[in-house]
Amino acid sequence: MTIIDAIIQGVVQGLTEFLPVSSSGHLAITQHVTGASGEGNLFFNVMLHVGTLVAVVAFYHKLIWSLIKEFFKMLGDIFTGKFKWRKMNYERNLIVMLIIALIPLFIMFIPIPGAGMKVKDIAEVLSGSQILLFTALSLMLTSVLLAVGAHFNKKNCSKSFKHMKGGSVESKGRESYTPLDSVCVGLTQVAAALLPGLSRSGSTLAVGEMRGINKQKALDFTFVLGIPSILAAALLEGVEAVKSPDGISVEPLVILVGVAVSAVVGYLSILLFKWFLKTDKMIIFIIYTAIVGVALLVISAIEIYNGANLFTGEPAALFS
């Protein structure tokens, strides 16, 4: 892998990790087109995720610091009997709901009866396909979820507008999550982890909007929830990468460039996503994921028929 490859994949990772278009799906597409896929790139992919983790921590450092301080205050109240569920402030509510939203991730480690694998291994099977049919279908599902989420957001704003006399409606909906909201978002995050092409940020945002959450608060929840999720994924994949036969086969300088690019581009993509959401321009992502999904579906059909990668000419099968 060259530095140019690292820059390209760093840009793809940085843009797609936070924009609602699926980072795993676009990395799969990039590697499919360039022929750079394989176990040798697993550690590099992990480090790209670390870069985007740096980006989200840098962007939300004030909120994260306030959550850390509030977490220890909350622990003190719990041990002294002063904790009151109904009297939680915004930060305390956010902490509790983030914890609840992370619980469904344990589903990933449940064994599948008779399959000799765990739920999390489904992601490896689907993403390991030499033909990106599942990525195509997942991108189309992302488009549908974004469209439904946008519909519910407009519906919430319309209801709020009926109770106002003049003025403009910026962004309506609840600002605090309930346990049911968090469980729904957590289950959606599990689905996004299993399906290559299903955007984590887009799908969890959409579910938040469907549940009546203020769209900007739903997006903040999505990004902060991504911190432990990305970290856990990086640790698990990092261990697998080190244990793999190829180990760390990418040069340190190439890795460093990829991490730096994904971090910078990731930070800018968070800014961009928040602007798109605030100005109600999500239709761009709805159309984009639909077009890419359909195009990839056509390419997959051609590759299944020919039995070869359309771009590299290498033999390809739906299941390797």
Side-chain angles (χ1 to χ4, degrees):
M1 180 180 293
T2 66
I3 289 180
I4 298 299
D5 292 328
I7 292 174
I8 292 173
Q9 293 197 40
V11 170
V12 171
Q13 174 67 24
L15 280 175
T16 58
E17 180 66 43
F18 301 115
L19 295 181
V21 294
S22 176
S23 62
S24 60
H26 278 70
L27 278 174
I29 294 171
T30 302
Q31 293 175 355
H32 186 77
V33 171
T34 61
S37 59
E39 286 297 323
N41 283 317
L42 180 58
F43 184 78
F44 180 71
N45 290 345
V46 171
M47 295 308 295
L48 290 182
H49 279 83
V50 172
T52 51
L53 181 63
V54 171
V56 71
V57 170
F59 190 92
Y60 283 102
H61 68 279
K62 291 182 179 179
L63 175 59
I64 293 170
W65 178 239
S66 68
L67 291 178
I68 292 174
K69 292 189 293 184
E70 191 62 37
F71 175 74
F72 286 105
K73 290 180 182 178
M74 185 175 69
L75 285 181
D77 287 347
I78 291 174
F79 286 119
T80 57
K82 297 179 181 179
F83 177 79
K84 302 294 181 182
W85 179 275
R86 295 184 180 277
K87 293 184 178 180
M88 291 190 295
N89 57 23
Y90 174 75
E91 288 78 12
R92 192 163 291 193
N93 171 267
L94 184 56
I95 292 169
V96 174
M97 296 308 147
L98 285 170
I99 293 172
I100 293 175
L102 289 170
I103 292 175
L105 287 176
F106 287 100
I107 294 174
M108 303 280 284
F109 300 95
I110 297 177
I112 301 176
M117 54 190 288
K118 297 179 181 179
V119 172
K120 70 180 182 67
D121 297 325
I122 295 176
E124 185 177 345
V125 172
L126 297 181
S127 61
S129 175
Q130 297 168 331
I131 295 174
L132 304 182
L133 175 62
F134 302 108
T135 302
L137 296 174
S138 297
L139 282 168
M140 294 166 69
L141 177 57
T142 296
S143 178
V144 172
L145 287 174
L146 289 174
V148 174
H151 168 74
F152 273 85
N153 179 61
K154 290 181 179 179
K155 189 176 180 180
N156 291 334
C157 287
S158 297
K159 287 182 178 179
S160 300
F161 186 74
K162 291 179 181 178
H163 297 87
M164 295 180 65
K165 296 181 179 180
S168 61
V169 180
E170 283 288 330
S171 179
K172 298 302 175 183
R174 290 185 287 115
E175 296 196 351
S176 297
Y177 277 69
T178 67
L180 181 57
D181 297 332
S182 298
V183 169
C184 290
V185 170
L187 291 173
T188 303
Q189 182 169 241
V190 170
L194 296 177
L195 300 176
L198 180 60
S199 168
R200 190 198 69 83
S201 61
S203 59
T204 52
L205 168 67
V207 169
E209 290 177 317
M210 291 178 206
R211 293 291 304 167
I213 303 296
N214 173 291
K215 61 183 181 181
Q216 288 293 337
K217 295 299 182 182
L219 187 61
D220 291 342
F221 188 89
T222 288
F223 284 150
V224 176
L225 179 64
I227 294 174
S229 303
I230 295 172
L231 181 59
L235 289 174
L236 290 174
E237 292 179 1
V239 172
E240 291 181 11
V242 172
K243 291 181 178 179
S244 69
D246 293 327
I248 304 174
S249 60
V250 182
E251 294 181 4
L253 178 60
V254 174
I255 294 175
L256 183 62
V257 170
V259 171
V261 171
S262 66
V264 173
V265 176
Y267 188 94
L268 295 176
S269 69
I270 294 175
L271 282 172
L272 187 62
F273 192 1
K274 289 182 76 69
W275 179 80
F276 272 112
L277 189 64
K278 183 178 181 179
T279 55
D280 290 324
K281 290 182 172 62
M282 293 298 291
I283 186 65
I284 294 175
F285 299 114
I286 295 171
I287 295 174
Y288 173 78
T289 49
I291 291 176
V292 175
V294 171
L296 205 57
L297 189 63
V298 173
I299 292 172
S300 297
I302 295 173
E303 291 183 340
I304 291 173
Y305 179 79
N306 293 331
N309 185 307
L310 188 62
F311 303 94
T312 66
E314 294 292 325
L318 186 59
F319 293 104
S320 55

